[in-house]
Amino acid sequence: MTSGDDEASTAMDHSVRSLLRHFATTTAGVRFTESPGHLFLATATDHLGPMHNSALRTDPTAGPEAVIGAAEEFFGRWNRRFVLWAGAHHDGDLAEAAARHGFALRDNSRGSAGMILRTPLRTAPDNGTALIPVRFRSQVETFTDIVADAFAARDHPQPAGATRSLFTPARTLLHPRVIAYLAVIDGVPCGAAMTHLNGPVATLAWIGTRPAYRHRGVASRLVTACVGESFRRGAQLVALQSSAEAEALYSRLGFQEITRYARWLSPAPANPHGSTD
């Protein structure tokens, strides 16, 4: 791996950690802990997804057995299964340990693509989509409705209730480090996206279009707006995690794949009588 690759993968890891911390510290009902070697986040629901019930090794020198053991102890308090992230660039030993412990790959063996963009995008063609910054609580509710509908209709659907739980209370979006937009066509809110700013890295997330409005350039308009505002506010690059179905869109817009993150699903907790409060 070259120094440029090292820099890019470090930026990707920074992006992942920053976004998890943001939801951990702004979302209701989240239990969160972080040490020099790992970050664990248990959400209000038992859904298993990238932002729900996740375990992340934050130091590649931390022993994989120690990280897995600490995660099992943490999530076992609430009788929870969890998703263990493993980056292709430095978590090979963690993935091997997960397999030994009976973890199963989540969704697909390739994992999600970690992608970055280093320059602003050209303005997307005007397709009749109006873009509205999210600044009020009523707009947060609309944003949440849109992404809940969009993610429930994906190839690997996420329950609408699990998505909604991440945007309660409204400060998750009405935060000084968050840029969020709604897309509106003919007066109907149909798309949403956000970026989270943390130093030189902005993380693009929750890009969603209502199913009836897909393939009309809505996502491209939203991504272009979020990216442009992120660079205007000091970001030096924009990072994202892409599902398999969206990789072609982001590649076409100029994002480059840096690494991949496999997600390993833990076995059922060893303690079936853990706390559920």
Side-chain angles (χ1 to χ4, degrees):
M1 184 177 284
T2 67
S3 60
D5 292 334
D6 286 339
E7 179 187 1
S9 60
T10 297
M12 278 305 318
D13 288 340
H14 176 81
S15 165
V16 171
R17 291 194 296 269
S18 296
L19 191 63
L20 285 171
R21 286 192 197 102
H22 173 70
F23 281 97
T25 55
T26 60
T27 302
V30 171
R31 295 97 163 186
F32 172 70
T33 186
E34 185 171 9
S35 80
H38 59 252
L39 181 159
F40 305 147
L41 179 152
T43 47
T45 74
D46 60 3
H47 177 67
L48 296 162
M51 295 291 113
H52 295 81
N53 300 302
S54 287
L56 182 72
R57 181 169 70 170
T58 56
D59 180 353
T61 67
E65 297 290 340
V67 171
I68 290 174
E72 290 175 335
E73 191 279 330
F74 176 78
F75 290 97
R77 298 174 195 169
W78 303 285
N79 197 28
R80 289 280 179 86
R81 301 179 79 184
F82 61 92
V83 174
L84 178 70
W85 293 57
H89 51 295
H90 61 42
D91 285 330
D93 60 336
L94 186 62
E96 291 174 0
R100 289 196 302 271
H101 281 258
F103 286 56
L105 274 174
R106 178 81 170 166
D107 297 336
N108 65 72
S109 59
R110 295 191 70 226
S112 62
M115 309 179 80
I116 66 170
L117 181 75
R118 297 184 183 276
T119 58
L121 298 169
R122 290 183 296 178
T123 302
D126 185 355
N127 60 354
T129 303
L131 298 177
I132 301 174
V134 174
R135 293 174 178 160
F136 306 104
R137 289 180 182 273
S138 60
Q139 293 172 323
V140 173
E141 293 173 3
T142 302
F143 183 106
T144 304
D145 287 342
I146 291 170
V147 295
D149 288 349
F151 279 72
R154 288 193 162 191
D155 291 346
H156 297 284
Q158 177 165 289
T163 302
R164 292 178 191 281
S165 71
L166 292 176
F167 296 97
T168 304
R171 68 172 180 265
T172 303
L173 286 180
L174 302 180
H175 188 281
R177 289 185 178 178
V178 170
I179 299 163
Y181 284 97
L182 298 173
V184 178
I185 294 179
D186 296 330
V188 179
C190 58
M194 64 166 278
T195 48
H196 175 258
L197 303 170
N198 193 339
V201 179
T203 304
L204 182 64
W206 296 106
I207 307 100
T209 305
R210 292 192 193 275
Y213 289 85
R214 289 180 178 172
H215 309 298
R216 296 175 63 172
V218 173
S220 295
R221 291 273 290 172
L222 285 163
V223 170
T224 300
C226 284
V227 165
E229 184 62 19
S230 296
F231 279 105
R232 279 191 290 273
R233 289 178 56 176
Q236 296 175 19
L237 62 83
V238 177
L240 62 81
Q241 296 285 311
S242 177
S243 63
E245 60 195 287
E247 284 181 39
L249 167 65
Y250 299 128
S251 294
R252 188 165 63 249
L253 289 173
F255 284 83
Q256 295 181 313
E257 181 178 322
I258 299 303
T259 188
R260 301 197 77 87
Y261 292 91
R263 298 188 181 100
W264 291 81
L265 178 61
S266 72
N271 175 17
H273 304 295
S275 170
T276 58
D277 62 5

